[in-house]
């Protein structure tokens, strides 16, 4: 496990984007696992900058996103499909057929979940997975529970997640209660994982992860301790509970 502490959000994003660029330099047909939310937004801005400067090529890259709300169409501005197009895909030379984001518009969501894992497997697996973390320790939408799914599955969002994510919606009632998420097993099968966290709001979760020696499904991010190639990139505020 490698911990990188950067001064602020901008530097954290630049570091994560540099790692992604190095991965693509090394393997042009990389399969990336991608996250949504406030944390990776700046990383995607940096990747777009690299692309506009002609320093990165996404033409052979495949992507699989971690999760998506159930009940929002792809066109809904709060859907993760919309977010990814708006924040990254519409601005780079990725082949749209290589983009995979859970899609809940279809009728058989269970079948979709099984196929999603199969598609990841068939693409040769995820080379580099980016994850953010919830304040309750969730990874993707794997919420704290006494057991977690190995593969892609349907989940009920935790109250705390609904509350926190309501900042993007007109009202808390509009936040979907369910989502599709990659399971912890799918995430852990990635060759390399980069966990990014910034701001005071994430300091408790970062401190708990770094100080506790246990692994528990009640704190899903703790499972990342078992990964063979985990890099944690945080800003100083996310480490403030550690007295840094
Ligand atoms: C989103 C995802 C979530 C977020 C987490 C943190 O695809 O998987 O686990 O990473 O909720 O969200 P932000 O970055 O908005 O603090």
């Amino acid at each position: 496990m490698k911990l990188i502490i950067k001064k602020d959000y901008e530097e954290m994003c630049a570091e994560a984007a540099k790692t992604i660029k190095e991965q693509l330099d090394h393997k042009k047909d990389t399969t990336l696992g991608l996250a949504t939310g406030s944390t990776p937004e700046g990383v995607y801005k940096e990747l777009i900058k690299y692309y506009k400067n002609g320093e990165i090529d996404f033409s052979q890259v495949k992507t699989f996103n971690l999760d998506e709300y159930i009940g929002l169409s792809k066109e809904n501005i709060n859907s993760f499909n919309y977010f990814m197009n708006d924040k990254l895909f519409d601005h780079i030379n990725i082949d749209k057929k290589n983009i995979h984001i859970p899609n809940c518009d279809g009728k058989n969501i269970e079948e979709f979940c099984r196929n999603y894992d199969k598609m990841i497997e068939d693409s040769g697996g995820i080379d580099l997975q980016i994850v953010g973390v919830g304040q309750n320790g969730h990874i993707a939408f794997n919420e704290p529970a006494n057991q977690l799914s190995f593969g892609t599955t349907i989940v009920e969002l935790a109250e705390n997640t609904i509350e926190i994510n309501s900042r993007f919606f007109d009202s808390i009632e509009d936040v979907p209660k369910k989502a599709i998420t990659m399971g912890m097993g799918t995430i852990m099968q990635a060759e390399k994982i980069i966990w990014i966290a910034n701001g005071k709001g994430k300091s408790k979760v970062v401190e708990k992860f770094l100080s506790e020696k246990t692994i528990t499904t009640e704190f899903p991010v703790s499972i990342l301790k078992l990964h063979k190639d985990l890099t944690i990139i945080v800003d100083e505020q996310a480490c403030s509970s550690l007295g840094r």
Side-chain angles (χ1 to χ4, degrees), residues 52-227:
K52 292 204 165 139
N53 292 334
E55 294 173 88
I56 199 167
D57 174 22
F58 290 91
S59 61
Q60 295 178 52
V61 171
K62 289 187 215 114
T63 64
F64 286 89
N65 261 78
L66 285 170
D67 41 17
E68 176 60 292
Y69 291 117
I70 293 180
L72 299 188
S73 73
K74 285 186 192 176
E75 293 74 32
N76 187 301
I77 54 164
N78 286 312
S79 74
F80 293 165
N81 275 268
Y82 186 95
F83 175 99
M84 288 308 302
N85 289 327
D86 187 43
K87 306 291 181 204
L88 182 64
F89 298 143
D90 285 348
H91 312 282
I92 58 173
N93 67 330
I94 192 159
D95 186 339
K96 296 268 167 171
K97 77 172 183 323
N98 288 336
I99 297 171
H100 306 88
I101 308 177
N103 167 16
C104 310
D105 289 347
K107 290 210 172 60
N108 193 335
I109 303 178
E110 278 87 2
E111 192 184 333
F112 173 84
C113 292
R114 278 193 299 279
N115 285 342
Y116 201 63
D117 286 330
K118 176 86 172 56
M119 280 193 288
I120 294 174
E121 214 181 297
D122 291 349
S123 83
I126 291 169
D127 295 299
L128 173 59
Q129 174 70 57
I130 305 294
V131 298
V133 69
Q135 290 183 21
N136 62 0
H138 75 210
I139 288 289
F141 275 141
N142 295 286
E143 302 282 21
N146 60 13
Q147 57 179 27
L148 294 174
S149 172
F150 187 90
T152 299
T153 191
I154 302 167
V155 283
E156 305 250 344
L157 300 186
E159 281 304 316
N160 171 270
T161 302
I162 292 173
E163 251 170 66
I164 291 173
N165 288 6
S166 67
R167 71 190 190 279
F168 297 114
F169 292 80
D170 288 342
S171 83
I172 194 160
E173 285 72 38
D174 294 338
V175 186
K177 309 287 177 285
K178 286 186 179 185
I180 290 185
T181 184
M182 263 189 212
M184 286 308 297
T186 316
I187 295 166
M188 289 293 284
Q189 283 172 340
E191 276 299 308
K192 184 178 175 69
I193 298 180
I194 296 181
W195 167 24
I196 47 175
N198 70 287
K200 277 214 170 64
K202 298 292 166 72
S203 66
K204 285 211 176 82
V205 90
V206 170
E207 181 196 26
K208 189 170 154 74
F209 177 91
L210 294 174
S211 60
E212 286 183 3
K213 301 267 179 281
T214 49
I215 288 152
T216 164
T217 56
E218 297 291 351
F219 188 50
V221 65
S222 67
I223 295 168
L224 299 186
K225 286 179 199 231
L226 297 172
H227 198 271

